[in-house]
Amino acid sequence: QMQVMESGGGSVQAGESRTLSCGLFRLPDNTKCMGWYRRAPGEELEGVAALDLDGGDTWYGNSVRGRFTISRHNAGNTLYLQMNNLNTDDTAIYYCAAGSFYTNLVGCVHFDSWGQGAQVSVCA
């Protein structure tokens, strides 16, 4: 069974940067993409960034494009999210996931397998 473990959360001041890491283990054979998602207080799960494992394309949500960068360590199963110029709207629990289908419209269509997430709190 697939396992996911996020790390790197914490509290930061607005304008600062933070990098999240994620280890993904026992990935299904049909894994085609990896992505980051977040859930802000009282909100639904939102796609943040995605990486196409076949072509290397990336996708970003409108609210983070230009500030966040998704990357993968040496084609392995460690995923990163570099977050720059954070603002209070970025406060959320961040999750990573793998998926079976990547699109330029919505990013990574994820498997239903999640870790505990990493809390990021941005203070004004």
Side-chain angles (χ1 to χ4, degrees):
Q1 184 175 354
M2 184 176 133
Q3 293 182 329
V4 180
M5 184 176 300
E6 301 92 348
S7 62
S11 296
V12 297
Q13 296 291 320
E16 292 183 342
S17 298
R18 193 83 177 185
T19 299
L20 301 180
S21 301
C22 175
L24 298 108
F25 310 97
R26 302 176 189 168
L27 294 176
D29 291 339
N30 61 334
T31 298
K32 296 295 184 182
C33 57
M34 295 177 178
W36 286 96
Y37 307 79
R38 69 185 182 186
R39 189 189 302 274
E43 301 291 333
E44 295 185 352
L45 191 70
E46 173 192 15
V48 174
L51 174 67
D52 177 12
L53 299 183
D54 288 336
D57 288 348
T58 55
W59 172 92
Y60 296 95
N62 289 335
S63 61
V64 306
R65 188 174 296 116
R67 300 187 298 122
F68 289 13
T69 302
I70 187 172
S71 62
R72 182 184 176 201
H73 180 69
N74 290 342
N77 291 343
T78 301
L79 193 68
Y80 301 104
L81 185 68
Q82 172 68 40
M83 306 182 292
N84 297 329
N85 194 22
L86 285 160
N87 60 60
T88 55
D89 290 337
D90 297 316
T91 294
I93 301 175
Y94 286 73
Y95 303 90
C96 73
S100 59
F101 187 63
Y102 172 88
T103 86
N104 290 324
L105 292 178
V106 298
C108 184
V109 179
H110 56 76
F111 299 123
D112 189 21
S113 183
W114 303 95
Q116 294 196 345
Q119 173 71 53
V120 175
S121 299
V122 184
C123 303

